[in-house]
Amino acid sequence: MASPTTTNPAHAHFESFLQAQLCQNVLSSFQGLCQALELEPGGGLPQYHKIKAQLNYWSAKSLWAKLDKRAGQPVYQQGQACANTKCLVVGAGPCGLRAAVELALLGARVVLVEKRTKFSRHNVLHLWPFTIHDLRALGAKKFYGRFCTGTLDHISIRQLQLLLLKVALLLGVEIHWGVTFTGLQPPPKKGSGWCAQLQPNAPCQLANYEFDVLISAAGGKFVPEGFTVREMRGKLAIGITANFVNGRTVEETQVPEISGVARIYNQSFFQSLLKATGIDLENIVYYKDDTHYFVMTAKKQCLLRLGVLRQPFWPLGTGVARGFLAAFDAAWMVKRWAEGAEPLEVLAERESLYQLLSQTSPENMHRNVAQYGLDPATRYPNLNLRAVSSNQVRDLYDVMARESVRRKSDSTDSRKPDSGSVVTKEELLRWCQEQTAGYPGVHVTNLSSSWADGLALCALVNRMRPGLLEPSELQGMGALEATGWALKMADHELGITPVLSAQAVVAGSDPLGLIAYLSHFHSTFKGTPHNPGPVSQGSPGTSSAVLFLGKLQRTLQRTRAQENGEDTGGKKLRLEVEAVTPSTEEPAVPESGVPLTPASQHQEAGGEDLCALCGKHLYILERLCADGRFYHRSCFCCRVCEAALWPGGYEQHPEDGHFYCLQHLPQPGHKEDGRARGPESQDLPTPGENNMPSSPSNPMASQEEASPVPSPSQPTRRLIRLSSPERQRLSSLNLTPDPEMEPPPKPPRSCSVLARQALEGSFVGWGMPKQSPEVLVAMEMEEGNPSSSEEEEEEEEDVALDSDMEQALLTFAKNSGTMNKYPTWRRTLLRRAKEEEMKRFCKAQAIQRRLNEIEAALRELEAQGMRLELALRNQSSSPEEQKALWLEQLLHLVEKKNSLVAEEAELMITVQELSLEEKQLQLDQELRGYMNRDEVLKTAADRQAEEQILRKLVNVVNQRDALIRFQEQHRLSELAAGPGAQS
């Protein structure tokens, strides 16, 4: 086998090219290589084949094998798919270079211009599994030996650019540095191509280069004339990046990286950071690469207080993954056009793909990353390239056509609701009449006075959830009492929050508010059959997440009242269970302890017009109801950190009356026993025997009765007494049990058993199933004979571990001494743990960004609603047609707001799940610390602390179980609400 020698200068240039770490060194070494081989740079794929033919020693051949494998994919048609296409790429960032590589593999002639002359961006990018596989397939390890060798998969932008630059040069991409693209020159005549306007004066060959395709990859600040830019990153928070020189000292090496920590599920970390530094962050990531790289999102108020304010953005932790996907999609678009597809068809496919791009994550793409290629079908499951039609993209094809479409759209009435499903006042009245028909004493003739006695509202609530109150029970009940009961039941059992008080309904002082409130019933239950009399089933249209969070908040309030020694009527604390199940279940009963009294008797009539905190006027779309009072959303925030408050995540302090998030809730002075309840310790609604229907027709009933979750009749907290075998197993967790030993007798299901089961299941966050250590001997043999081949090492990391390996890693995780004996598997385990942390962090980032977007959207709706409400309340001189249009627009905004609030509640359920998962991981670490100690060395305080951790772990497991059950019930409810359920 040939090897590079000093007698062949091309070999030396090639080795310098592979190892170069500066942009200018890469270019100069490649220029020297081409001169030694008597080739002209930028010659496309033919140039690559000539280089490969002349450099056939072992180091070069391993790279050619990878590039040939990629180029040999059928989609490239042996480099002939776009052989007659000329492309100009603007920008040598990672996405521009990756697009240039794909175009070169398709056989196109590719010219790339970049205004910079060096790569200086040290920010570090997180890599998804498919990006790792993609870069390895392009020879990443040959160009950058430390590629993905740590516990976290990331790479600095500069290193990524260097890597892709080398690949692009080898594949014949023509690259020009220090050249700025300023505009386009249209073809001077038919049959000629487009040219670029460049500064400074470009070489004649580049200035006269005619191309068919322009790909702009120079960033959002550069937008070619005639194009628009759409960004996916949020602009509702302030992202800060910081890079520090990495001296690679021993001390620096020992500092662990942070894959991502988000306030949304780990508030205590950021609260400690705030106390120590005065800096208030939403999240933080720390990577080690060429630099120590930090990226964090600071709270706006913190930056204003410190006098810092910059262009906002929200780092999502997606790294360069979506950029690579966009590069693939753009190259696919070029290929389709080169094949002769109609331009409108190509544009429609591109827009269909773009709709998917912002939603992509490693979890919702194809699992087999090895099959990813240029064809979108290899990457996106359930792909629909016809999601956008050709008619919808006509304005993207021809400039003149686009201008005419814009002028036409400008002449239309943009204020008219764009949804054909918005209910009118007449339709709402007719629907209410149909739903309340057959109830004694109920006669709905309008949307104002017909509701003053409370009977119609009670009938409507009972229609949607039969069994809450029989019509006969309304006899003798006053109008205010009946209306207050209906408002409370709609809130507690249907998830429909009030926008006006019982007094306002009875007095008829807020007709617009009543119409908006009734429209919420219509939008939620419009699929209910229009049969006279009460329906036999509850509607599946209820927002189950809103209900769940409402019950969570009320449970939290009762828990807090009990802990503070307040009078609870002599009843034990009852942990509620969310009763949102498929519509086939029997009717739910009202919550115990809910009196048939108005929900807000403490409020004066018309009190919903004023914010209970700031005292300013409240318009309908601004009203947020909490505990019977109405607030601005902007006012309803934590008094300390000014964070928005969501159900289940706040408390009102009994002494000062202000609202606080759970992290900042002041504790009574006489209770300093560590009862401060953060989000990680709050009680979720957990199943109890008195909360579920007892009918044998309910398939969940038997499961609930057998559930190990403590019922309300049992003590919710008890001391854990571990038997000797249990304590021995928990403390030692033998790696290989003696086959001759008989297993200990199965103990009764108790809190200690649950704790042990929780411990065994706690490694799910590490990607591990349950234990089966039969393969330990095989693993030792493999460990003793590590692979010395670089190629095998790379392939090993691409292949997922089989179940036996996963199970063995669990065994290692339970014995730190064993882990130290197997450094390779220890590294694999740590990598898996970091991957799970990163997934959780990315999920939290996406949730936080969406919550901020919802908040911004709600503020916009409030502003629009205020204008419409003012117009409707001052409509004396307006024509009836205009009044009806305004009301229709207002109801449309109310429906949009309710939809956003429901989505917000769904996201908060996921936040609870992330918070509990993080808490369980923390408890696991604490518990392992105690279990690793010698039993004889443990003090009484150690044993007491260990038991407390076990109790907390059981509590967290129970809460996660409640969430899982809720999510399953919600899924079944959605199935019941499908098209087939409505027929």
Side-chain angles (χ1 to χ4, degrees), residues 1-8 11-12 15 55-61:
M1 181 179 296
S3 60
T5 64
T6 55
T7 59
N8 191 337
H11 292 176
E15 290 300 321
L55 296 178
N56 59 358
Y57 65 97
W58 66 270
S59 181
K61 289 175 69 175

Side-chain angles (χ1 to χ4, degrees), residues 576-638:
E576 300 176 83
V577 65
E578 176 54 53
V580 181
T581 54
S583 59
T584 56
E585 72 167 16
E586 291 195 358
V589 296
E591 300 177 34
S592 63
V594 177
L596 298 180
T597 55
S600 53
Q601 288 187 348
H602 61 274
Q603 252 183 310
E604 298 179 0
E608 66 276 5
D609 291 339
L610 300 177
C611 176
L613 286 175
C614 70
K616 297 182 180 179
H617 186 79
L618 273 173
Y619 294 93
I620 292 174
L621 266 81
E622 292 180 323
R623 296 173 189 173
L624 184 150
C625 183
D627 301 327
R629 292 177 177 268
F630 295 92
Y631 308 89
H632 291 104
R633 285 180 65 92
S634 57
C635 294
F636 194 67
C637 59
C638 176

Side-chain angles (χ1 to χ4, degrees), residues 4-33:
T5 64
T6 55
T7 59
N8 191 337
H11 292 176
H13 286 300
F14 184 70
E15 290 300 321
S16 298
F17 172 75
L18 293 180
Q19 303 302 324
Q21 290 298 302
L22 295 175
C23 181
Q24 292 300 328
N25 293 345
V26 172
L27 296 175
S28 60
S29 58
F30 186 74
Q31 184 69 32
L33 174 64

Side-chain angles (χ1 to χ4, degrees), residues 428 495-497 515-525 894 898:
L428 179 60
I496 297 179
T497 55
I515 293 174
Y517 182 60
L518 293 175
S519 72
H520 195 177
F521 280 88
H522 175 269
S523 62
T524 303
F525 298 101
V894 170
N898 293 335

Side-chain angles (χ1 to χ4, degrees), residues 735 772-773 775-776 779 803-813:
L735 183 62
S772 178
V775 296
L776 294 179
M779 288 185 62
S803 59
D804 289 337
M805 296 297 183
E806 295 272 4
Q807 293 158 357
L809 282 176
L810 172 59
T811 303
F812 292 156

Side-chain angles (χ1 to χ4, degrees), residues 6-171:
T6 55
T7 59
N8 191 337
H11 292 176
H13 286 300
F14 184 70
E15 290 300 321
S16 298
F17 172 75
L18 293 180
Q19 303 302 324
Q21 290 298 302
L22 295 175
C23 181
Q24 292 300 328
N25 293 345
V26 172
L27 296 175
S28 60
S29 58
F30 186 74
Q31 184 69 32
L33 174 64
C34 290
Q35 290 176 355
L37 299 178
E38 300 181 352
L39 297 174
E40 188 68 26
L45 280 182
Q47 170 205 286
Y48 164 71
H49 292 299
K50 293 176 182 179
I51 295 177
K52 184 178 69 171
Q54 298 187 55
L55 296 178
N56 59 358
Y57 65 97
W58 66 270
S59 181
K61 289 175 69 175
S62 62
L63 177 60
W64 307 145
K66 287 185 172 294
L67 295 179
D68 285 346
K69 182 178 179 180
R70 178 75 185 194
Q73 294 182 6
V75 70
Y76 300 116
Q77 300 175 14
Q78 298 299 318
Q80 298 300 311
C82 298
N84 298 319
T85 303
K86 297 179 180 179
C87 305
L88 177 68
V89 179
V90 180
C95 298
L97 287 167
R98 191 64 190 84
V101 167
E102 286 301 306
L103 293 171
L105 289 171
L106 287 167
R109 183 187 175 189
V110 186
V111 175
L112 184 148
V113 295
E114 168 59 49
K115 66 179 181 180
R116 295 183 177 89
T117 58
K118 63 179 180 179
F119 295 150
S120 58
R121 298 166 66 189
H122 290 281
N123 289 2
V124 182
L125 300 173
H126 169 63
L127 297 178
W128 288 6
F130 96 84
T131 54
I132 298 172
H133 186 277
D134 178 70
L135 292 171
R136 281 185 177 143
L138 295 177
K141 293 285 285 186
K142 296 293 296 184
F143 303 118
Y144 183 50
R146 292 199 301 270
F147 179 73
C148 289
T149 55
T151 58
L152 291 175
D153 296 323
H154 53 67
I155 189 172
S156 70
I157 296 178
R158 191 183 74 86
Q159 286 290 351
L160 182 57
Q161 287 176 287
L162 287 171
L163 187 160
L164 292 173
L165 172 62
K166 295 173 183 179
V167 177
L169 289 171
L170 288 174
L171 294 178

